């Protein structure tokens, strides 16, 4: 059977296919344009050009904490993933605010019976032919969302974007604290290496002093052997400190994706300390942490989702209009219709109950988040007070005494007033207390980093900066 299309119908289908072809060509063109533009900013190894430039700028250059933080914030993949999520949610918000597309439907009944009536149109044959004639119905339907559904859906999507922004800020602060801790490890490693080299130099001086006394016949040769064994021990300690520093440098560089550190040394002063604000003042700042703000924003977002579910109780309206074409009679008839669901059984009861419970859950999560942050603050604040006292005692009492005792013992050994064991013991006590001092300073900085992560702000914004004075010795504290 042959199907003959009328001229208007043929023109409609040709126009429709032409538009589809244009859309396909456009959709194929723009992705290739995006791929071409994105490839121009990457090297063969897949790293961005500015990433390689940043790493080359660190070669044989001293590194500051600010530079380290900037490198990590620019090139850390975890943070980049959160940024991509924020961009994705912008698209979700855009989609939530769009109107529903209209629908076009074409219905053909008794296809092919399009011959014109001839002869007596009132004859039984003509009447039978008219009953089975081809009828073409073209309709356009449009769904209208009632009850403010689109506005509620858009508001919820915007709040979801804000939640993603808070997640990004939380991760950013966490990464900054991680960088600060790794940077503190590098600074502490540099100080331990410096102390180990200074101690090795002291041990070498002791060996020289013992050799002179052995050669003068004032002490037995066994003391020279003991002195050389002590010197070898300091060499081992220096090598261990050097290995620890290499590992700390690599851990820091890995945060921005560099497997081989390019910087020369980390700049900073472990002795730069900040007086502690009161715990009450810090607890007030805890509520400004992005995690606490996110928990508060989460309640708003859950309430917005509850409003979305409430709007869904109101049924939508579907309006359609079109034309019916009778092939044999050659006439057109306009048709229109309305459709609306009757909310007899499904009134969105289950989704409303779920949304109410989600709001209550968000309120509980907010309280739990604030409690967790205050607990973390207390867990860092109490040890910080103890470390502060430890630093003061080591700096003001123990280290000056140990240094003075070593100098006196060394001078007295050269004069024959003290034995070799007293000299080794005073040297060991001095080195151990110097290491304890460096560890206490590093622990203090780590605890400060933890508190700053919890309050999401530098402590020196709440108190004036104080610096522990140096001893004036370039080799010792």
């Amino acid at each position: 059977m042959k199907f003959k299309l009328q001229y208007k119908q043929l023109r409609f289908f040709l126009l429709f296919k032409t538009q589809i072809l244009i859309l396909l060509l456009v959709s194929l063109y723009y992705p290739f344009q995006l791929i071409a533009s994105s490839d121009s900013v990457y090297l063969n190894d897949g790293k961005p050009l500015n990433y390689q430039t940043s790493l080359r700028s660190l070669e044989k250059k001293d590194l500051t904490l600010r530079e380290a933080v900037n490198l990590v914030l620019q090139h850390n993949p975890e943070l980049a993933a959160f940024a991509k999520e924020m961009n994705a949610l912008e698209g979700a918000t855009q989609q939530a605010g769009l109107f529903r597309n209209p629908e076009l439907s074409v219905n053909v009944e008794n296809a092919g019976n399009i011959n014109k009536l001839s002869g007596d149109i009132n004859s039984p044959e003509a009447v039978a032919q008219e009953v089975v004639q081809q009828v073409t119905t073209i309709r356009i339907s449009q769904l209208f969302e009632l009850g403010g559904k689109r506005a509620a859906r858009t508001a919820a999507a915007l709040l979801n974007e804000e939640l993603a922004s808070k997640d990004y800020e939380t991760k950013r602060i966490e990464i900054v604290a991680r960088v600060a801790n790794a940077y503190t490890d590098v600074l502490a490693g540099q100080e331990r290496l410096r102390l180990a080299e200074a101690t090795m130099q002291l041990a070498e001086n002791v060996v020289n002093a013992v050799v002179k006394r052995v050669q003068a016949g004032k002490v037995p040769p066994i003391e020279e052997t003991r002195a050389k064994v002590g010197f070898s021990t300091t060499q081992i300690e220096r090598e261990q400190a050097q290995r620890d520093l290499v590992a700390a440098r690599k851990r820091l560089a890995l945060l921005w994706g560099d497997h081989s550190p390019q910087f020369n040394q980390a700049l900073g002063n472990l002795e730069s300390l900040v007086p502690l604000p009161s715990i009450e003042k810090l607890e007030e700042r805890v509520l400004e942490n992005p995690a606490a703000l996110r928990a508060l924003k989460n309640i708003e977002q859950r309430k917005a989702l509850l409003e979305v579910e409430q709007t869904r109780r109101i049924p939508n309206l579907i309006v359609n209009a079109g034309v019916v074409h009778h092939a044999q009679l050659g006439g057109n008839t306009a048709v229109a219709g309305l459709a609306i669901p009757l909310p007899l059984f499904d009134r969105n009861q289950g989704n409303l109950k779920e949304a109410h419970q989600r709001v209550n859950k968000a309120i509980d999560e907010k309280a739990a988040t604030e409690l967790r942050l205050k607990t973390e603050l207390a867990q860092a604040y109490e040890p910080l007070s103890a470390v502060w006292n430890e630093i003061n005692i080591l700096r003001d009492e123990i280290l000056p005494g140990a240094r003075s005792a070593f100098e006196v013992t060394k001078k007295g050994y050269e004069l024959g007033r003290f034995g070799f064991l007293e000299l080794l013991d005073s040297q060991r006590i001095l080195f151990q207390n110097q290491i304890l001092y460096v560890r206490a300073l590093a622990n203090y900085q780590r605890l400060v980093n933890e508190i700053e992560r919890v309050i999401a702000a530098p402590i020196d914004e709440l108190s004036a900066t104080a610096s522990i004075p140096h001893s004036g010795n370039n080799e010792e504290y």
Side-chain angles (χ1 to χ4, degrees):
M1 179 185 295
K2 292 186 178 180
F3 297 92
K4 297 182 180 179
L5 295 177
Q6 296 182 359
Y7 174 76
K8 292 183 178 179
Q9 293 174 328
L10 180 61
R11 182 180 177 185
F12 171 79
F13 284 111
L14 290 176
L15 181 60
F16 179 76
K17 291 182 178 180
T18 303
Q19 292 176 345
I20 292 296
L21 181 60
I22 293 174
L23 290 175
L24 287 175
L25 291 176
V26 172
S27 63
L28 290 174
Y29 173 76
Y30 279 102
F32 284 111
Q33 288 294 102
L34 292 175
I35 292 173
S37 61
S38 62
D39 286 345
S40 61
V41 298
Y42 281 84
L43 296 175
N44 293 331
D45 58 357
K47 296 292 186 180
L49 287 173
N50 57 355
Y51 178 80
Q52 303 291 344
T53 303
S54 300
L55 294 185
R56 284 196 297 268
S57 65
L58 289 178
E59 293 181 1
K60 305 303 179 183
K61 178 186 175 183
D62 293 340
L63 181 69
T64 64
L65 177 58
R66 182 181 297 273
E67 292 173 341
V69 170
N70 289 336
L71 277 172
V72 174
L73 293 182
Q74 292 173 9
H75 307 297
N76 187 274
E78 294 181 67
L79 206 58
F82 278 85
K84 298 298 188 303
E85 178 65 17
M86 292 173 58
N87 295 334
L89 289 177
E90 290 179 3
T93 302
Q94 179 184 3
Q95 185 66 31
L98 298 178
F99 289 98
R100 297 297 178 89
N101 291 326
E103 294 183 1
L104 174 65
S105 63
V106 178
N107 184 35
V108 179
E109 299 179 11
N110 302 320
N113 190 6
I114 60 176
N115 295 324
K116 296 293 184 179
L117 297 178
S118 60
D120 186 6
I121 61 174
N122 295 321
S123 64
E125 293 79 5
V127 172
Q129 186 178 0
E130 183 180 354
V131 170
V132 295
Q133 69 175 313
Q134 176 177 308
V135 179
T136 303
T137 305
I138 300 176
R139 293 177 183 268
I140 295 180
S141 302
Q142 177 64 55
L143 183 144
F144 293 93
E145 294 182 307
L146 304 181
K149 292 184 179 65
R150 188 171 64 89
R153 190 169 60 243
T154 303
L158 286 172
L159 287 172
N160 205 24
E161 275 191 62
E162 295 184 22
L163 283 179
S165 176
K166 298 302 179 185
D167 289 335
Y168 177 87
E169 289 298 321
T170 301
K171 176 58 67 174
R172 187 180 66 84
I173 291 175
E174 177 186 336
I175 289 177
V176 169
R178 197 186 308 169
V179 174
N181 286 334
Y183 197 86
T184 299
D185 292 340
V186 174
L187 290 179
Q190 291 176 170
E191 292 300 327
R192 284 195 294 267
L193 179 59
R194 185 179 62 82
L195 285 176
E197 291 175 346
T199 302
M200 189 177 67
Q201 183 63 40
L202 290 177
E204 186 176 3
N205 295 337
V206 169
V207 170
N208 295 333
V210 172
V211 169
K212 291 180 181 179
R213 290 179 59 81
V214 170
Q215 291 176 351
K218 296 180 180 180
V219 294
I222 188 63
E223 291 194 3
E224 179 180 352
T225 303
R226 291 176 177 174
K228 290 181 178 179
V229 170
F231 176 73
S232 299
T233 302
T234 59
Q235 286 181 316
I236 295 175
E237 291 171 347
R238 182 183 66 84
E239 292 176 358
Q240 181 63 44
Q242 192 170 13
R243 287 194 297 270
D244 292 343
L245 176 58
V246 170
R249 286 166 56 87
K250 188 170 184 179
R251 286 196 300 270
L252 175 61
L254 283 173
L255 291 176
W256 61 74
D258 188 8
H259 295 274
S260 57
Q262 304 294 327
F263 60 91
N264 185 21
Q265 65 175 348
L267 299 179
N269 182 14
L270 285 175
E271 293 182 302
S272 179
L273 307 181
V274 181
L276 291 179
S278 64
I279 186 67
E280 292 78 14
K281 186 178 294 186
L282 292 174
E283 286 180 348
E284 293 176 1
R285 294 298 297 267
V286 164
L287 300 180
E288 299 180 13
N289 187 289
L293 297 178
R294 186 201 184 281
L296 184 62
K297 188 65 64 176
N298 189 39
I299 297 177
E300 297 180 22
Q301 200 261 349
R302 290 299 178 181
K303 290 181 178 179
L305 291 177
L306 173 60
E307 185 177 353
V308 170
E309 298 300 336
Q310 289 173 342
T311 61
R312 289 178 178 174
R313 294 182 302 175
I314 302 174
N316 296 324
L317 177 66
I318 301 176
V319 179
N320 63 76
V323 61
V324 178
H325 175 72
H326 303 273
Q328 294 179 353
L329 297 178
N332 295 321
T333 304
V335 294
L338 295 175
I340 185 169
L342 298 178
L344 299 179
F345 308 107
D346 182 3
R347 296 184 298 275
N348 209 32
Q349 306 95 314
N351 291 332
L352 279 173
K353 180 179 180 180
E354 178 186 1
H356 277 291
Q357 295 302 319
R358 297 289 184 189
V359 172
N360 296 333
K361 178 185 176 183
I363 295 175
D364 293 339
E365 288 176 345
K366 174 180 175 295
T369 299
E370 293 179 356
L371 179 61
R372 174 177 59 83
L373 291 174
K374 290 181 179 180
T375 302
E376 292 176 356
L377 175 63
Q379 290 175 346
Y381 189 86
E382 294 302 328
L384 190 59
S385 302
V387 173
W388 174 274
N389 295 331
E390 180 183 353
I391 290 174
N392 290 332
I393 294 174
L394 284 168
R395 182 195 69 228
D396 299 334
E397 301 177 13
I398 297 178
L399 280 178
R403 189 175 298 111
S404 176
F406 173 74
E407 295 295 336
V408 171
T409 305
K410 179 182 176 183
K411 192 67 176 178
Y413 177 78
E414 294 174 354
L415 298 176
R417 297 178 181 177
F418 295 104
F420 181 71
L421 292 180
E422 287 84 358
L423 178 60
L424 287 180
D425 188 59
S426 62
Q427 176 184 338
R428 177 181 56 81
I429 291 175
L430 175 59
F431 177 72
Q432 289 179 348
N433 284 289
Q434 288 173 333
I435 293 297
L436 288 177
Y437 186 53
V438 173
R439 289 177 179 173
L441 291 174
N443 289 336
Y444 181 90
Q445 297 296 341
R446 294 188 191 96
L447 292 171
V448 167
N449 295 336
E450 177 64 14
I451 290 179
E452 290 181 343
R453 182 192 66 82
V454 174
I455 67 174
I459 286 184
D460 54 10
E461 290 185 359
L462 305 179
S463 59
T465 303
S467 178
I468 294 180
H470 291 272
S471 63
N473 192 328
N474 292 328
E475 296 181 351
E476 301 173 347
Y477 285 107

